[in-house]
Amino acid sequence: MKAYGIIILLVGMALVSRCHHPTPSAAAVEIAPGVVTPADGTIVKELVSAFDRAEVAVQHVDLDALMLFYEKGYNYHGLKRSDVRRVWTEVFSHYRQIMSRHLFTELKVVRDGSTTKAFVTCTGGLYGTDKESGKAVTIDSWVGEVHFLVKDQKAWKFLGNVGGTLPEVPPTSAPHHPLF
């Protein structure tokens, strides 16, 4: 099983390097083969739709629309929603043609009463063009990151790390990417 994890990590790293600077027409989210069961189909479509809405907001530099992707109680290792808003403001001020890529490699859905949470293991990156130099850059990249989302009455929203990590997540995969 440990070898399988290493293979997934290496494949993820290869995909991040392969899609170093995606074209604007590239899909923001891809699902790895075998991740989705028939029972997960609707949830995955909803999750992809949430990431797509966030991607459209990023590409249109629409900070208010982008912040709708973040739950009001967002907490990512101490960073609150207001912190993420400030970071996105900085990203938008330094880069143009910003876009992200996400490869979902694992999905866990937890229902607790009326609350539904999703733990999405993802490899991907955030890319753009530096406004000063005009060079294409990787703003951020991640491998095996677990996105924590919660479904409210309208849509899935990014929750951060509220409630800790899943027991199966190795301590060496500590997240460092609050934007996605």
Side-chain angles (χ1 to χ4, degrees):
M1 189 64 176
K2 189 173 185 175
Y4 177 73
I6 292 170
I7 290 169
I8 292 294
L9 179 67
L10 292 174
V11 168
M13 290 170 50
L15 288 170
V16 168
S17 65
R18 185 192 93 209
C19 64
H20 181 69
H21 299 289
T23 61
S25 62
V29 176
E30 295 178 54
I31 311 296
V35 171
V36 182
T37 67
D40 296 330
T42 300
I43 291 173
V44 169
K45 286 178 186 175
E46 291 173 355
L47 288 166
V48 169
S49 178
F51 276 84
D52 285 346
R53 283 190 305 277
E55 180 67 15
V56 167
V58 167
Q59 290 184 9
H60 287 102
V61 190
D62 187 342
L63 185 58
D64 291 332
L66 177 59
M67 293 311 297
L68 294 175
F69 180 61
Y70 295 88
E71 176 65 28
K72 289 182 182 170
Y74 175 88
N75 182 346
Y76 194 90
H77 296 279
L79 294 175
K80 305 293 186 211
R81 194 168 182 256
S82 60
D83 299 315
V84 172
R85 183 179 186 90
R86 182 180 35 77
V87 172
W88 273 115
T89 300
E90 285 292 315
V91 168
F92 289 149
S93 73
H94 294 288
Y95 304 100
R96 58 184 168 80
Q97 298 173 318
I98 302 166
M99 63 184 317
S100 65
R101 293 290 304 244
H102 302 268
L103 174 64
F104 293 175
T105 56
E106 188 174 351
L107 170 66
K108 291 188 183 211
V109 177
V110 177
R111 289 182 180 87
D112 182 16
S114 63
T115 303
T116 305
K117 292 183 181 180
F119 301 88
V120 181
T121 304
C122 176
T123 294
L126 183 66
Y127 310 94
T129 302
D130 183 277
K131 285 184 177 179
E132 286 187 26
S133 70
K135 292 183 179 180
V137 296
T138 301
I139 299 166
D140 194 8
S141 63
W142 52 91
V143 175
E145 177 75 10
V146 179
H147 299 305
F148 301 92
L149 296 104
V150 65
K151 187 172 183 183
D152 70 7
Q153 296 174 350
K154 299 176 186 173
W156 286 94
K157 295 191 177 188
F158 201 26
L159 188 59
N161 73 332
V162 173
T165 59
L166 292 174
E168 299 84 15
V169 177
T172 56
S173 68
H176 304 292
H177 309 280
L179 300 179
F180 278 115

